[in-house]
Amino acid sequence: RKQYCRQKEKIMEVERIIAEHLGVDIERVTDDAHLMNDLGADSLDVVELVIEFETQFDIDIADEDAEGLVTVGAIKEYIKDYA
């Protein structure tokens, strides 16, 4: 139960970070939302978000992994698996 709550908090934090960084309403930050196509991120935003996730969740995201983190859902799964 406690583990589930921690995971839920991480997921909510991912959504908050993305919404805040990109200046979009949190309601638009859905699992299938594409950072660039749907939320208006550019390549610099994506790099900055990766750095922010690394800092916030105390993880290292390899460049190869970062290239695959293009949707909110993919980011959430990565954070759940590695943070």
Side-chain angles (χ1 to χ4, degrees):
R1 175 107 180 109
K2 195 172 189 176
Q3 180 70 20
Y4 173 79
C5 289
R6 254 187 267 132
Q7 290 288 3
K8 185 83 172 146
E9 287 171 14
K10 287 179 186 177
I11 296 312
M12 291 174 64
E13 184 69 6
V14 166
E15 293 174 354
R16 185 196 63 74
I17 289 169
I18 293 170
E20 200 171 275
H21 187 86
L22 299 178
V24 298
D25 289 334
I26 196 129
E27 292 81 30
R28 290 184 56 203
V29 183
T30 59
D31 284 357
D32 60 345
H34 190 282
L35 292 178
M36 295 176 125
N37 299 342
D38 299 320
L39 301 177
D42 60 25
S43 55
L44 180 59
D45 288 320
V46 174
V47 170
E48 290 172 344
L49 281 168
V50 167
I51 292 168
E52 198 161 344
F53 295 136
E54 288 178 324
T55 303
Q56 182 68 32
F57 298 108
D58 194 29
I59 57 173
D60 288 319
I61 301 173
D63 291 343
E64 307 83 54
D65 293 342
E67 290 171 12
L69 301 178
V70 295
T71 65
V72 174
I75 294 167
K76 288 178 180 180
E77 282 302 311
Y78 191 90
I79 296 300
K80 277 199 287 191
D81 291 344
Y82 296 101

Short mmCIF file of all heavy atoms in Angstrom, two decimals, residues 7-75:
data_model
loop_
_atom_site.label_atom_id
_atom_site.label_comp_id
_atom_site.label_asym_id
_atom_site.label_seq_id
_atom_site.Cartn_x
_atom_site.Cartn_y
_atom_site.Cartn_z
N GLN A 7 4.44 5.50 -5.55
CA GLN A 7 4.40 5.48 -7.01
C GLN A 7 3.42 6.53 -7.53
O GLN A 7 3.71 7.24 -8.49
CB GLN A 7 3.99 4.09 -7.54
CG GLN A 7 5.03 3.04 -7.32
CD GLN A 7 6.25 3.20 -8.22
OE1 GLN A 7 6.37 4.13 -8.99
NE2 GLN A 7 7.16 2.26 -8.11
N LYS A 8 2.27 6.63 -6.91
CA LYS A 8 1.24 7.60 -7.31
C LYS A 8 1.78 9.02 -7.16
O LYS A 8 1.57 9.86 -8.03
CB LYS A 8 -0.01 7.39 -6.46
CG LYS A 8 -1.17 8.24 -6.85
CD LYS A 8 -1.91 7.62 -8.01
CE LYS A 8 -3.18 8.41 -8.26
NZ LYS A 8 -3.51 8.46 -9.68
N GLU A 9 2.51 9.27 -6.08
CA GLU A 9 3.11 10.59 -5.86
C GLU A 9 4.12 10.91 -6.96
O GLU A 9 4.18 12.04 -7.44
CB GLU A 9 3.79 10.66 -4.49
CG GLU A 9 2.82 10.73 -3.34
CD GLU A 9 3.51 10.56 -1.99
OE1 GLU A 9 4.75 10.66 -1.92
OE2 GLU A 9 2.79 10.33 -1.00
N LYS A 10 4.93 9.92 -7.34
CA LYS A 10 5.91 10.13 -8.41
C LYS A 10 5.21 10.48 -9.72
O LYS A 10 5.64 11.38 -10.44
CB LYS A 10 6.77 8.88 -8.61
CG LYS A 10 7.77 8.64 -7.52
CD LYS A 10 8.56 7.37 -7.80
CE LYS A 10 9.47 7.01 -6.65
NZ LYS A 10 10.16 5.75 -6.90
N ILE A 11 4.13 9.76 -10.02
CA ILE A 11 3.38 9.99 -11.26
C ILE A 11 2.80 11.40 -11.27
O ILE A 11 2.88 12.12 -12.27
CB ILE A 11 2.26 8.94 -11.41
CG1 ILE A 11 2.85 7.54 -11.56
CG2 ILE A 11 1.35 9.26 -12.57
CD1 ILE A 11 3.97 7.40 -12.55
N MET A 12 2.23 11.81 -10.16
CA MET A 12 1.67 13.16 -10.06
C MET A 12 2.78 14.21 -10.20
O MET A 12 2.57 15.26 -10.80
CB MET A 12 0.90 13.31 -8.75
CG MET A 12 -0.37 12.48 -8.74
SD MET A 12 -1.22 12.49 -7.14
CE MET A 12 -1.66 14.20 -6.99
N GLU A 13 3.94 13.91 -9.65
CA GLU A 13 5.08 14.83 -9.75
C GLU A 13 5.56 14.95 -11.20
O GLU A 13 5.88 16.03 -11.66
CB GLU A 13 6.21 14.35 -8.84
CG GLU A 13 7.40 15.27 -8.78
CD GLU A 13 7.13 16.61 -8.09
OE1 GLU A 13 6.03 16.81 -7.53
OE2 GLU A 13 8.02 17.46 -8.12
N VAL A 14 5.57 13.84 -11.94
CA VAL A 14 5.94 13.86 -13.36
C VAL A 14 4.99 14.80 -14.10
O VAL A 14 5.42 15.66 -14.87
CB VAL A 14 5.90 12.44 -13.98
CG1 VAL A 14 5.94 12.50 -15.49
CG2 VAL A 14 7.05 11.61 -13.45
N GLU A 15 3.69 14.63 -13.87
CA GLU A 15 2.69 15.47 -14.54
C GLU A 15 2.90 16.94 -14.19
O GLU A 15 2.84 17.81 -15.05
CB GLU A 15 1.29 15.03 -14.15
CG GLU A 15 0.93 13.66 -14.68
CD GLU A 15 -0.41 13.15 -14.16
OE1 GLU A 15 -1.02 13.80 -13.29
OE2 GLU A 15 -0.84 12.08 -14.64
N ARG A 16 3.15 17.22 -12.91
CA ARG A 16 3.33 18.60 -12.47
C ARG A 16 4.56 19.22 -13.13
O ARG A 16 4.52 20.36 -13.61
CB ARG A 16 3.46 18.66 -10.95
CG ARG A 16 3.53 20.09 -10.40
CD ARG A 16 4.04 20.14 -8.97
NE ARG A 16 5.41 19.66 -8.82
CZ ARG A 16 6.50 20.35 -9.22
NH1 ARG A 16 6.39 21.52 -9.79
NH2 ARG A 16 7.70 19.84 -9.03
N ILE A 17 5.66 18.48 -13.16
CA ILE A 17 6.90 18.99 -13.75
C ILE A 17 6.68 19.32 -15.23
O ILE A 17 7.08 20.39 -15.70
CB ILE A 17 8.04 17.97 -13.59
CG1 ILE A 17 8.48 17.90 -12.12
CG2 ILE A 17 9.22 18.32 -14.48
CD1 ILE A 17 9.42 16.75 -11.80
N ILE A 18 6.04 18.42 -15.95
CA ILE A 18 5.81 18.65 -17.38
C ILE A 18 4.92 19.86 -17.60
O ILE A 18 5.23 20.75 -18.40
CB ILE A 18 5.21 17.39 -18.05
CG1 ILE A 18 6.24 16.26 -18.04
CG2 ILE A 18 4.75 17.70 -19.47
CD1 ILE A 18 5.69 14.90 -18.45
N ALA A 19 3.81 19.92 -16.87
CA ALA A 19 2.87 21.04 -17.03
C ALA A 19 3.53 22.36 -16.70
O ALA A 19 3.40 23.34 -17.45
CB ALA A 19 1.64 20.82 -16.14
N GLU A 20 4.27 22.39 -15.60
CA GLU A 20 4.93 23.61 -15.16
C GLU A 20 6.01 24.04 -16.16
O GLU A 20 6.09 25.21 -16.54
CB GLU A 20 5.53 23.37 -13.78
CG GLU A 20 5.82 24.63 -13.01
CD GLU A 20 6.22 24.28 -11.58
OE1 GLU A 20 5.31 24.12 -10.75
OE2 GLU A 20 7.43 24.18 -11.31
N HIS A 21 6.82 23.11 -16.59
CA HIS A 21 7.93 23.43 -17.49
C HIS A 21 7.43 23.92 -18.85
O HIS A 21 8.00 24.85 -19.42
CB HIS A 21 8.85 22.23 -17.67
CG HIS A 21 10.09 22.56 -18.45
ND1 HIS A 21 11.22 23.06 -17.85
CD2 HIS A 21 10.35 22.51 -19.78
CE1 HIS A 21 12.13 23.30 -18.78
NE2 HIS A 21 11.63 22.95 -19.96
N LEU A 22 6.36 23.29 -19.34
CA LEU A 22 5.87 23.65 -20.67
C LEU A 22 4.78 24.71 -20.64
O LEU A 22 4.34 25.17 -21.69
CB LEU A 22 5.36 22.39 -21.39
CG LEU A 22 6.41 21.30 -21.62
CD1 LEU A 22 5.78 20.10 -22.30
CD2 LEU A 22 7.59 21.83 -22.43
N GLY A 23 4.34 25.07 -19.44
CA GLY A 23 3.32 26.11 -19.32
C GLY A 23 1.97 25.68 -19.88
O GLY A 23 1.27 26.48 -20.51
N VAL A 24 1.61 24.41 -19.65
CA VAL A 24 0.32 23.90 -20.12
C VAL A 24 -0.53 23.48 -18.92
O VAL A 24 -0.01 23.23 -17.84
CB VAL A 24 0.49 22.71 -21.09
CG1 VAL A 24 1.25 23.13 -22.34
CG2 VAL A 24 1.17 21.53 -20.42
N ASP A 25 -1.84 23.43 -19.14
CA ASP A 25 -2.74 22.95 -18.09
C ASP A 25 -2.45 21.49 -17.82
O ASP A 25 -2.25 20.70 -18.75
CB ASP A 25 -4.21 23.10 -18.53
CG ASP A 25 -4.66 24.54 -18.56
OD1 ASP A 25 -4.08 25.37 -17.81
OD2 ASP A 25 -5.59 24.85 -19.33
N ILE A 26 -2.49 21.13 -16.55
CA ILE A 26 -2.18 19.76 -16.16
C ILE A 26 -3.16 18.77 -16.80
O ILE A 26 -2.81 17.62 -17.04
CB ILE A 26 -2.12 19.61 -14.62
CG1 ILE A 26 -1.42 18.30 -14.24
CG2 ILE A 26 -3.48 19.69 -14.00
CD1 ILE A 26 -0.31 18.45 -13.26
N GLU A 27 -4.37 19.21 -17.12
CA GLU A 27 -5.36 18.33 -17.75
C GLU A 27 -4.89 17.86 -19.13
O GLU A 27 -5.32 16.82 -19.62
CB GLU A 27 -6.71 19.04 -17.90
CG GLU A 27 -7.42 19.33 -16.60
CD GLU A 27 -6.90 20.58 -15.89
OE1 GLU A 27 -6.44 21.52 -16.58
OE2 GLU A 27 -6.93 20.61 -14.65
N ARG A 28 -4.00 18.62 -19.77
CA ARG A 28 -3.48 18.24 -21.09
C ARG A 28 -2.35 17.21 -20.98
O ARG A 28 -1.98 16.60 -21.98
CB ARG A 28 -2.95 19.47 -21.83
CG ARG A 28 -4.06 20.42 -22.25
CD ARG A 28 -3.55 21.58 -23.07
NE ARG A 28 -2.80 21.13 -24.24
CZ ARG A 28 -1.91 21.88 -24.87
NH1 ARG A 28 -1.65 23.11 -24.46
NH2 ARG A 28 -1.26 21.42 -25.92
N VAL A 29 -1.83 17.03 -19.78
CA VAL A 29 -0.70 16.12 -19.56
C VAL A 29 -1.26 14.72 -19.31
O VAL A 29 -1.33 14.24 -18.18
CB VAL A 29 0.19 16.62 -18.40
CG1 VAL A 29 1.39 15.70 -18.21
CG2 VAL A 29 0.64 18.05 -18.63
N THR A 30 -1.68 14.07 -20.41
CA THR A 30 -2.25 12.73 -20.35
C THR A 30 -1.22 11.72 -20.82
O THR A 30 -0.23 12.09 -21.48
CB THR A 30 -3.50 12.64 -21.25
OG1 THR A 30 -3.11 12.94 -22.59
CG2 THR A 30 -4.58 13.60 -20.78
N ASP A 31 -1.44 10.45 -20.52
CA ASP A 31 -0.47 9.41 -20.85
C ASP A 31 -0.12 9.38 -22.34
O ASP A 31 1.02 9.13 -22.70
CB ASP A 31 -0.96 8.03 -20.41
CG ASP A 31 -0.85 7.83 -18.91
OD1 ASP A 31 -0.33 8.74 -18.22
OD2 ASP A 31 -1.26 6.77 -18.43
N ASP A 32 -1.10 9.61 -23.20
CA ASP A 32 -0.83 9.51 -24.63
C ASP A 32 -0.38 10.84 -25.25
O ASP A 32 -0.13 10.91 -26.45
CB ASP A 32 -2.04 8.94 -25.38
CG ASP A 32 -3.28 9.79 -25.23
OD1 ASP A 32 -3.30 10.66 -24.34
OD2 ASP A 32 -4.23 9.58 -26.00
N ALA A 33 -0.24 11.88 -24.44
CA ALA A 33 0.21 13.18 -24.95
C ALA A 33 1.69 13.12 -25.33
O ALA A 33 2.53 12.69 -24.56
CB ALA A 33 -0.02 14.28 -23.92
N HIS A 34 1.98 13.53 -26.55
CA HIS A 34 3.35 13.57 -27.07
C HIS A 34 3.94 14.92 -26.68
O HIS A 34 3.31 15.97 -26.89
CB HIS A 34 3.31 13.41 -28.60
CG HIS A 34 4.64 13.22 -29.23
ND1 HIS A 34 5.52 14.25 -29.44
CD2 HIS A 34 5.24 12.10 -29.70
CE1 HIS A 34 6.61 13.78 -30.03
NE2 HIS A 34 6.46 12.47 -30.20
N LEU A 35 5.14 14.89 -26.09
CA LEU A 35 5.73 16.14 -25.60
C LEU A 35 5.80 17.22 -26.68
O LEU A 35 5.45 18.36 -26.43
CB LEU A 35 7.13 15.88 -25.04
CG LEU A 35 7.23 15.05 -23.76
CD1 LEU A 35 8.68 14.85 -23.37
CD2 LEU A 35 6.45 15.68 -22.63
N MET A 36 6.27 16.85 -27.86
CA MET A 36 6.46 17.84 -28.91
C MET A 36 5.17 18.09 -29.70
O MET A 36 4.74 19.23 -29.86
CB MET A 36 7.59 17.42 -29.85
CG MET A 36 8.94 17.38 -29.14
SD MET A 36 10.25 16.77 -30.21
CE MET A 36 11.40 18.11 -30.10
N ASN A 37 4.54 17.03 -30.18
CA ASN A 37 3.38 17.18 -31.05
C ASN A 37 2.15 17.70 -30.34
O ASN A 37 1.38 18.47 -30.92
CB ASN A 37 3.04 15.84 -31.72
CG ASN A 37 4.16 15.33 -32.60
OD1 ASN A 37 5.06 16.07 -33.00
ND2 ASN A 37 4.13 14.04 -32.89
N ASP A 38 1.93 17.28 -29.09
CA ASP A 38 0.70 17.65 -28.38
C ASP A 38 0.90 18.77 -27.37
O ASP A 38 -0.01 19.56 -27.14
CB ASP A 38 0.11 16.43 -27.67
CG ASP A 38 -0.27 15.32 -28.62
OD1 ASP A 38 -0.79 15.63 -29.72
OD2 ASP A 38 -0.02 14.15 -28.30
N LEU A 39 2.08 18.82 -26.74
CA LEU A 39 2.29 19.77 -25.65
C LEU A 39 3.20 20.93 -26.03
O LEU A 39 3.48 21.81 -25.22
CB LEU A 39 2.84 19.04 -24.41
CG LEU A 39 1.92 17.93 -23.87
CD1 LEU A 39 2.57 17.22 -22.70
CD2 LEU A 39 0.55 18.49 -23.48
N GLY A 40 3.69 20.94 -27.27
CA GLY A 40 4.45 22.08 -27.76
C GLY A 40 5.90 22.18 -27.31
O GLY A 40 6.51 23.24 -27.43
N ALA A 41 6.45 21.09 -26.81
CA ALA A 41 7.85 21.11 -26.38
C ALA A 41 8.76 21.17 -27.61
O ALA A 41 8.42 20.65 -28.67
CB ALA A 41 8.18 19.87 -25.56
N ASP A 42 9.92 21.81 -27.45
CA ASP A 42 10.94 21.72 -28.48
C ASP A 42 12.07 20.84 -27.94
O ASP A 42 11.99 20.35 -26.80
CB ASP A 42 11.44 23.10 -28.92
CG ASP A 42 12.07 23.91 -27.79
OD1 ASP A 42 12.56 23.32 -26.80
OD2 ASP A 42 12.08 25.16 -27.89
N SER A 43 13.10 20.62 -28.75
CA SER A 43 14.15 19.69 -28.32
C SER A 43 14.85 20.16 -27.06
O SER A 43 15.24 19.35 -26.22
CB SER A 43 15.15 19.45 -29.45
OG SER A 43 15.68 20.67 -29.91
N LEU A 44 15.01 21.46 -26.88
CA LEU A 44 15.63 21.98 -25.67
C LEU A 44 14.75 21.70 -24.45
O LEU A 44 15.25 21.31 -23.39
CB LEU A 44 15.91 23.48 -25.79
CG LEU A 44 16.56 24.13 -24.57
CD1 LEU A 44 17.91 23.48 -24.24
CD2 LEU A 44 16.74 25.63 -24.79
N ASP A 45 13.43 21.88 -24.60
CA ASP A 45 12.51 21.56 -23.50
C ASP A 45 12.67 20.11 -23.07
O ASP A 45 12.69 19.80 -21.88
CB ASP A 45 11.05 21.78 -23.92
CG ASP A 45 10.67 23.24 -24.05
OD1 ASP A 45 11.11 24.05 -23.21
OD2 ASP A 45 9.92 23.57 -25.00
N VAL A 46 12.78 19.21 -24.05
CA VAL A 46 12.90 17.78 -23.74
C VAL A 46 14.18 17.51 -22.95
O VAL A 46 14.16 16.81 -21.94
CB VAL A 46 12.84 16.93 -25.03
CG1 VAL A 46 13.12 15.47 -24.71
CG2 VAL A 46 11.49 17.10 -25.72
N VAL A 47 15.29 18.12 -23.37
CA VAL A 47 16.56 17.96 -22.65
C VAL A 47 16.42 18.50 -21.23
O VAL A 47 16.85 17.86 -20.26
CB VAL A 47 17.71 18.67 -23.40
CG1 VAL A 47 18.97 18.72 -22.54
CG2 VAL A 47 17.99 17.97 -24.73
N GLU A 48 15.82 19.67 -21.10
CA GLU A 48 15.65 20.27 -19.77
C GLU A 48 14.74 19.42 -18.89
O GLU A 48 14.99 19.28 -17.68
CB GLU A 48 15.08 21.68 -19.91
CG GLU A 48 16.09 22.66 -20.49
CD GLU A 48 15.51 24.03 -20.83
OE1 GLU A 48 14.26 24.16 -20.89
OE2 GLU A 48 16.30 24.95 -21.03
N LEU A 49 13.70 18.83 -19.47
CA LEU A 49 12.83 17.95 -18.69
C LEU A 49 13.58 16.72 -18.22
O LEU A 49 13.43 16.31 -17.07
CB LEU A 49 11.60 17.54 -19.52
CG LEU A 49 10.50 18.59 -19.62
CD1 LEU A 49 9.49 18.20 -20.69
CD2 LEU A 49 9.81 18.79 -18.28
N VAL A 50 14.39 16.13 -19.08
CA VAL A 50 15.18 14.95 -18.69
C VAL A 50 16.08 15.32 -17.51
O VAL A 50 16.15 14.58 -16.52
CB VAL A 50 16.00 14.41 -19.88
CG1 VAL A 50 17.06 13.41 -19.41
CG2 VAL A 50 15.08 13.77 -20.92
N ILE A 51 16.74 16.45 -17.59
CA ILE A 51 17.62 16.90 -16.49
C ILE A 51 16.80 17.10 -15.22
O ILE A 51 17.22 16.70 -14.12
CB ILE A 51 18.37 18.19 -16.88
CG1 ILE A 51 19.37 17.88 -18.00
CG2 ILE A 51 19.06 18.81 -15.68
CD1 ILE A 51 19.96 19.11 -18.68
N GLU A 52 15.62 17.68 -15.37
CA GLU A 52 14.77 17.91 -14.20
C GLU A 52 14.32 16.59 -13.57
O GLU A 52 14.32 16.44 -12.35
CB GLU A 52 13.56 18.76 -14.60
CG GLU A 52 12.88 19.40 -13.42
CD GLU A 52 12.01 20.58 -13.79
OE1 GLU A 52 12.12 21.12 -14.91
OE2 GLU A 52 11.20 20.97 -12.93
N PHE A 53 13.96 15.60 -14.40
CA PHE A 53 13.58 14.28 -13.87
C PHE A 53 14.76 13.62 -13.18
O PHE A 53 14.61 13.02 -12.12
CB PHE A 53 13.05 13.37 -14.98
CG PHE A 53 11.77 13.85 -15.61
CD1 PHE A 53 11.61 13.82 -16.98
CD2 PHE A 53 10.73 14.32 -14.83
CE1 PHE A 53 10.43 14.27 -17.56
CE2 PHE A 53 9.54 14.77 -15.40
CZ PHE A 53 9.40 14.74 -16.78
N GLU A 54 15.95 13.74 -13.76
CA GLU A 54 17.14 13.16 -13.14
C GLU A 54 17.38 13.76 -11.76
O GLU A 54 17.68 13.05 -10.81
CB GLU A 54 18.36 13.38 -14.03
CG GLU A 54 18.38 12.55 -15.28
CD GLU A 54 19.58 12.82 -16.16
OE1 GLU A 54 20.04 13.99 -16.24
OE2 GLU A 54 20.08 11.87 -16.78
N THR A 55 17.24 15.06 -11.67
CA THR A 55 17.45 15.76 -10.40
C THR A 55 16.37 15.42 -9.39
O THR A 55 16.65 15.06 -8.24
CB THR A 55 17.49 17.29 -10.63
OG1 THR A 55 18.51 17.58 -11.58
CG2 THR A 55 17.74 18.04 -9.34
N GLN A 56 15.11 15.53 -9.83
CA GLN A 56 13.97 15.31 -8.93
C GLN A 56 13.92 13.89 -8.38
O GLN A 56 13.61 13.68 -7.21
CB GLN A 56 12.67 15.63 -9.67
CG GLN A 56 11.43 15.49 -8.83
CD GLN A 56 11.32 16.52 -7.73
OE1 GLN A 56 11.79 17.64 -7.88
NE2 GLN A 56 10.74 16.15 -6.61
N PHE A 57 14.23 12.90 -9.23
CA PHE A 57 14.08 11.51 -8.83
C PHE A 57 15.41 10.81 -8.56
O PHE A 57 15.45 9.61 -8.34
CB PHE A 57 13.27 10.75 -9.89
CG PHE A 57 11.88 11.30 -10.05
CD1 PHE A 57 11.54 12.03 -11.18
CD2 PHE A 57 10.92 11.12 -9.07
CE1 PHE A 57 10.27 12.55 -11.34
CE2 PHE A 57 9.64 11.63 -9.21
CZ PHE A 57 9.32 12.36 -10.35
N ASP A 58 16.51 11.57 -8.59
CA ASP A 58 17.84 11.06 -8.28
C ASP A 58 18.18 9.82 -9.12
O ASP A 58 18.53 8.75 -8.59
CB ASP A 58 17.96 10.75 -6.78
CG ASP A 58 19.41 10.56 -6.37
OD1 ASP A 58 20.30 11.16 -7.00
OD2 ASP A 58 19.66 9.78 -5.43
N ILE A 59 18.03 9.97 -10.44
CA ILE A 59 18.35 8.89 -11.37
C ILE A 59 19.19 9.46 -12.51
O ILE A 59 19.27 10.67 -12.68
CB ILE A 59 17.08 8.23 -11.97
CG1 ILE A 59 16.20 9.26 -12.68
CG2 ILE A 59 16.31 7.47 -10.91
CD1 ILE A 59 15.03 8.69 -13.42
N ASP A 60 19.84 8.56 -13.24
CA ASP A 60 20.55 8.94 -14.46
C ASP A 60 19.78 8.35 -15.63
O ASP A 60 19.54 7.13 -15.66
CB ASP A 60 21.99 8.40 -14.46
CG ASP A 60 22.87 9.15 -13.48
OD1 ASP A 60 22.75 10.38 -13.39
OD2 ASP A 60 23.67 8.48 -12.79
N ILE A 61 19.41 9.19 -16.58
CA ILE A 61 18.69 8.72 -17.76
C ILE A 61 19.68 8.74 -18.92
O ILE A 61 20.16 9.80 -19.32
CB ILE A 61 17.48 9.62 -18.07
CG1 ILE A 61 16.52 9.63 -16.87
CG2 ILE A 61 16.77 9.15 -19.34
CD1 ILE A 61 15.36 10.60 -16.98
N ALA A 62 19.98 7.55 -19.44
CA ALA A 62 20.92 7.43 -20.56
C ALA A 62 20.34 8.12 -21.79
O ALA A 62 19.12 8.16 -21.97
CB ALA A 62 21.19 5.97 -20.86
N ASP A 63 21.21 8.66 -22.64
CA ASP A 63 20.76 9.34 -23.85
C ASP A 63 19.87 8.44 -24.70
O ASP A 63 18.86 8.90 -25.24
CB ASP A 63 21.96 9.82 -24.69
CG ASP A 63 22.71 10.96 -24.01
OD1 ASP A 63 22.15 11.59 -23.09
OD2 ASP A 63 23.86 11.22 -24.42
N GLU A 64 20.25 7.16 -24.81
CA GLU A 64 19.45 6.23 -25.60
C GLU A 64 18.04 6.09 -25.03
O GLU A 64 17.07 5.98 -25.77
CB GLU A 64 20.09 4.83 -25.65
CG GLU A 64 21.54 4.80 -26.10
CD GLU A 64 22.52 5.10 -24.96
OE1 GLU A 64 22.48 4.46 -23.90
OE2 GLU A 64 23.35 6.01 -25.16
N ASP A 65 17.95 6.07 -23.70
CA ASP A 65 16.64 5.98 -23.06
C ASP A 65 15.85 7.28 -23.25
O ASP A 65 14.65 7.25 -23.52
CB ASP A 65 16.79 5.70 -21.56
CG ASP A 65 17.35 4.32 -21.27
OD1 ASP A 65 17.31 3.46 -22.17
OD2 ASP A 65 17.85 4.11 -20.15
N ALA A 66 16.52 8.40 -23.11
CA ALA A 66 15.86 9.69 -23.23
C ALA A 66 15.21 9.86 -24.59
O ALA A 66 14.13 10.46 -24.70
CB ALA A 66 16.86 10.82 -22.97
N GLU A 67 15.84 9.32 -25.63
CA GLU A 67 15.28 9.43 -26.98
C GLU A 67 13.91 8.77 -27.09
O GLU A 67 13.10 9.17 -27.92
CB GLU A 67 16.24 8.82 -28.00
CG GLU A 67 17.50 9.63 -28.19
CD GLU A 67 18.54 8.91 -29.05
OE1 GLU A 67 18.21 7.89 -29.68
OE2 GLU A 67 19.69 9.39 -29.07
N GLY A 68 13.66 7.78 -26.26
CA GLY A 68 12.38 7.08 -26.30
C GLY A 68 11.30 7.69 -25.43
O GLY A 68 10.15 7.28 -25.46
N LEU A 69 11.67 8.68 -24.64
CA LEU A 69 10.72 9.28 -23.71
C LEU A 69 9.99 10.44 -24.40
O LEU A 69 10.23 11.61 -24.09
CB LEU A 69 11.44 9.75 -22.45
CG LEU A 69 12.17 8.66 -21.68
CD1 LEU A 69 12.89 9.24 -20.47
CD2 LEU A 69 11.23 7.54 -21.26
N VAL A 70 9.09 10.09 -25.31
CA VAL A 70 8.43 11.13 -26.11
C VAL A 70 6.98 11.37 -25.70
O VAL A 70 6.40 12.38 -26.06
CB VAL A 70 8.50 10.82 -27.63
CG1 VAL A 70 9.94 10.86 -28.10
CG2 VAL A 70 7.86 9.48 -27.94
N THR A 71 6.41 10.43 -24.93
CA THR A 71 5.05 10.64 -24.44
C THR A 71 5.07 10.68 -22.91
O THR A 71 5.99 10.17 -22.28
CB THR A 71 4.09 9.51 -24.88
OG1 THR A 71 4.50 8.29 -24.28
CG2 THR A 71 4.02 9.38 -26.40
N VAL A 72 4.03 11.27 -22.36
CA VAL A 72 3.91 11.35 -20.90
C VAL A 72 3.87 9.94 -20.31
O VAL A 72 4.52 9.66 -19.31
CB VAL A 72 2.66 12.16 -20.51
CG1 VAL A 72 2.44 12.13 -19.00
CG2 VAL A 72 2.79 13.60 -21.00
N GLY A 73 3.15 9.03 -20.96
CA GLY A 73 3.06 7.66 -20.47
C GLY A 73 4.40 6.96 -20.43
O GLY A 73 4.72 6.25 -19.47
N ALA A 74 5.23 7.17 -21.46
CA ALA A 74 6.56 6.56 -21.50
C ALA A 74 7.43 7.09 -20.36
O ALA A 74 8.17 6.34 -19.73
CB ALA A 74 7.23 6.83 -22.84
N ILE A 75 7.31 8.37 -20.09
CA ILE A 75 8.08 8.98 -18.99
C ILE A 75 7.63 8.39 -17.65
O ILE A 75 8.46 8.02 -16.82
CB ILE A 75 7.93 10.51 -19.00
CG1 ILE A 75 8.56 11.09 -20.27
CG2 ILE A 75 8.55 11.13 -17.74
CD1 ILE A 75 8.19 12.54 -20.53
#
